[in-house]
Amino acid sequence: MNKTVLFSLIGKTDPIRDNYEGPFLHILRHFRPQKAYIFLTEEMYKYHKNDNRYIILGNRVCPDCEILPMEDYKNFDNPQDFECAYKFVKNAIDRVMCENENENIIVNVTSATPQMISALYIITATSKRIFELVQVTSPAKKGNESKPVGINF
């Protein structure tokens, strides 16, 4: 039986916002992947290094999941630039596909900037590989009005 692997961009609603789990945790809880790659921009990498929040809370929600921070993108500092986002996200998803040739890959298309999410949609739509794209709605069923969690979690 093939494993399920999650590829998730990480945004300011991850891991939680306003006492609700963010998209990354929500997908872990409901899909139970065996492995999860988290794509960290420069800003999200600083949060990760500060307190390991994505791994700690990810393992609470899905204890059997191996969570792999993609730290090689820690210098990606302009996620609002589409061309740059496309290049970095393409490299990351190519790595996930290469390391998981025969596994089912689900993709979080909710977290991160609109440019990064758009790049992810284009990359997955034009790939020969089949992905399961997962979008998570906000608990309020509208835009987030609460302030995201900052560096001090």
Side-chain angles (χ1 to χ4, degrees):
M1 185 163 152
N2 292 353
K3 289 182 182 177
T4 299
V5 174
L6 169 63
F7 174 77
S8 182
L9 303 172
I10 296 293
K12 286 206 158 188
T13 300
D14 295 305
I16 64 167
R17 185 175 188 150
D18 199 27
N19 294 318
Y20 291 100
E21 63 189 16
F24 171 64
L25 292 182
H26 192 75
I27 293 168
L28 283 178
R29 179 182 308 281
H30 291 279
F31 286 84
R32 302 297 219 204
Q34 288 75 44
K35 190 188 304 183
Y37 290 84
I38 55 174
F39 182 101
L40 302 165
T41 62
E42 181 179 61
E43 182 178 17
M44 299 300 105
Y45 176 76
K46 287 177 186 172
Y47 292 178
H48 164 65
K49 285 316 248 184
N50 184 56
D51 54 23
N52 209 23
R53 63 185 69 178
Y54 310 111
I55 295 175
I56 290 171
L57 292 178
N59 284 329
R60 283 189 189 167
V61 169
C62 190
D64 296 327
C65 183
E66 177 186 12
I67 300 173
L68 304 166
M70 300 182 89
E71 295 182 2
D72 35 342
Y73 302 104
K74 66 185 176 197
N75 296 320
F76 175 36
D77 65 350
N78 52 346
Q80 71 289 342
D81 179 289
F82 178 80
E83 280 187 54
C84 190
Y86 185 92
K87 179 180 77 174
F88 280 102
V89 172
K90 175 85 168 94
N91 287 340
I93 200 79
D94 284 350
R95 174 181 153 198
V96 172
M97 287 189 302
C98 182
E99 292 178 9
N100 300 280
E101 283 186 38
N102 299 311
E103 314 301 354
N104 300 318
I105 300 175
I106 56 177
V107 178
N108 172 6
V109 291
T110 309
S111 298
T113 65
Q115 294 83 350
M116 293 174 72
I117 294 168
S118 296
L120 196 50
Y121 271 113
I122 292 168
I123 293 161
T124 56
T126 58
S127 175
K128 292 179 181 175
R129 182 77 182 259
I130 296 174
F131 298 92
E132 181 175 356
L133 305 183
V134 179
Q135 185 177 32
V136 178
T137 60
S138 73
K141 307 289 188 246
K142 61 181 182 175
N144 293 311
E145 295 177 10
S146 63
K147 186 176 177 185
V149 175
I151 193 78
N152 297 318
F153 185 60

